[in-house]
Amino acid sequence: CITEIAGDAALLVDCDKIDDLVEAMKKIIINKKLRRELVTMGKNRIVTLFSESYIQKQVDNLFTFLQDSNGK
């Protein structure tokens, strides 16, 4: 889910509401402080969610799943 990935590092909008998307984009463009905060929080989310150990665990889980599925 995008909310779990983005956390507070994004302005989340309903993808069916174009006006909401436009307003969120305007906020990011106009508000330099907000833009910097989102960038900083986004970088922190990447470090937290996509560390080398996390990625390795996910790859291991995928290979295990594929091996188990192949034998069925």
Side-chain angles (χ1 to χ4, degrees):
C1 180
I2 192 73
T3 305
E4 293 171 355
I5 299 295
D8 58 356
L11 298 181
L12 300 177
V13 297
D14 184 337
C15 62
D16 294 324
K17 296 182 180 178
I18 300 301
D19 290 340
D20 291 354
L21 178 59
V22 169
E23 288 305 312
M25 292 172 71
K26 283 181 183 177
K27 283 182 186 178
I28 293 170
I29 291 168
I30 293 169
N31 189 330
K32 190 174 186 176
K33 181 181 179 206
L34 173 63
R35 189 170 58 246
R36 285 181 182 163
E37 288 172 353
L38 291 174
V39 168
T40 299
M41 289 185 289
K43 288 177 181 179
N44 291 338
R45 296 288 296 167
I46 289 170
V47 169
T48 301
L49 294 175
F50 302 106
S51 66
E52 185 176 342
S53 61
Y54 177 83
I55 300 288
Q56 186 61 51
K57 181 178 179 182
Q58 296 304 314
V59 169
D60 291 344
N61 289 341
L62 176 61
F63 279 118
T64 300
F65 172 79
L66 292 173
Q67 286 176 339
D68 292 346
S69 297
N70 194 27
K72 291 183 180 179

